[in-house]
Amino acid sequence: MHVTSEQRLADGVREREFTLGETPGTLWTPRTTPAPLVLMSHNNGLSKADPRLVARARYTAARGYAVATIDAAGCGDRPRSAADERARADLRRALRAGEPADEILESVVGPLVENAVPEWRSTLDALLELPEIDGPIGYSGGWAALGIALAVAEPRVVAAALFAGGYVPRAQREEARRLTIPLLFLLQWDDEGNPRQRALDLFDAFGSEEKTLHANLGGHTGTPPFELEDTCRFLDRHLR
């Protein structure tokens, strides 16, 4: 892992940009280490530099966690294939026309998840070699499809907080039945891009004996600020 830049934030959190092969990432570590690690992602394909993700990461690090995120293949500023660009163009056209988009989303999101899981696992391997990180490992992110696939594939992830706002491919809906770790599931009741019943069906499908649903009124980006505090309390219960 090669650190490309570093800064110390006002709250004592240390922020480092890094690369691991072709994978760029950011690591935030708290003032006191070693610390449990939280893997944090944002919705399908968005950048690790997205302001909402950065704000959540810095808040969580200030609460005493190491937090890491990456731009997996096809995400953020990383190159996308011609097939990816065609699928995204088709998706934009369908959404503008108000046409059904599930099959297009399958073709976009499914490969993103499949390609992302190995890169996240390799990143996890590298991060756990750092002296300032000491498990257990949690996942917190808007990319629920990735969180499901990663938690099923990676036994080191022991708890996950998932946002219901992104499209979850059929493969991950089936994988949800195999997920048995503690879960916190955040749902915006009026999310314009995610049918409410689909999110409720996904919550019902999770195989976890300990799973909690927080539902709030409002659209996709309207998650109340207090949910960040509640997510950290969830992490406190399972990572400390």
Side-chain angles (χ1 to χ4, degrees), residues 16-225:
R16 281 170 282 179
E17 300 289 333
F18 66 86
T19 57
L20 184 65
E22 296 181 354
T23 306
T26 308
L27 173 65
W28 296 266
T29 48
R31 190 189 302 273
T32 301
T33 58
L37 175 63
V38 177
L39 305 176
M40 192 170 287
S41 73
H42 203 12
N43 228 345
N44 316 326
L46 294 182
S47 170
K48 64 182 179 62
D50 182 89
R52 286 181 294 159
L53 184 148
V54 171
R56 285 192 292 116
R58 290 178 173 178
Y59 180 94
T60 305
R63 283 284 299 256
Y65 292 96
V67 182
T69 189
I70 63 171
D71 278 343
C75 299
D77 294 329
R78 291 187 65 183
R80 295 168 180 162
S81 69
D84 288 340
E85 294 296 351
R86 285 194 299 271
R88 290 172 186 274
D90 290 342
L91 177 60
R92 289 191 293 270
R93 283 194 295 270
L95 293 176
R96 283 196 300 267
E99 299 172 352
D102 279 10
E103 293 308 315
I104 302 174
L105 284 165
E106 286 285 333
S107 69
V108 172
V109 181
L112 278 178
V113 173
E114 183 177 353
N115 292 330
V117 168
E119 293 196 344
W120 278 85
R121 296 186 77 183
S122 295
T123 302
L124 178 56
D125 290 340
L127 291 170
L128 289 177
E129 294 180 1
L130 300 175
E132 56 265 58
I133 294 176
D134 183 19
I137 313 303
Y139 177 91
S140 176
W143 196 356
L146 172 65
I148 294 168
L150 184 60
V152 168
E154 181 49 76
R156 291 174 291 185
V157 175
V158 300
L162 306 175
F163 289 78
Y167 182 80
V168 177
R170 287 185 286 269
Q172 277 65 61
R173 290 178 231 166
E174 288 301 316
E175 284 183 318
R177 305 180 190 283
R178 298 165 51 198
L179 201 60
T180 59
I181 61 175
L183 292 174
L184 174 63
F185 197 52
L186 303 181
L187 170 64
Q188 285 302 103
W189 202 246
D190 308 299
D191 192 329
E192 56 275 18
N194 188 42
R196 182 188 308 161
Q197 190 58 52
R198 179 181 291 169
L200 294 173
D201 290 343
L202 179 62
F203 178 77
D204 190 51
F206 288 131
S208 304
E209 292 186 3
E210 182 179 340
K211 55 183 180 180
T212 301
L213 173 68
H214 286 189
N216 291 284
L217 296 178
H220 182 75
T221 60
T223 304

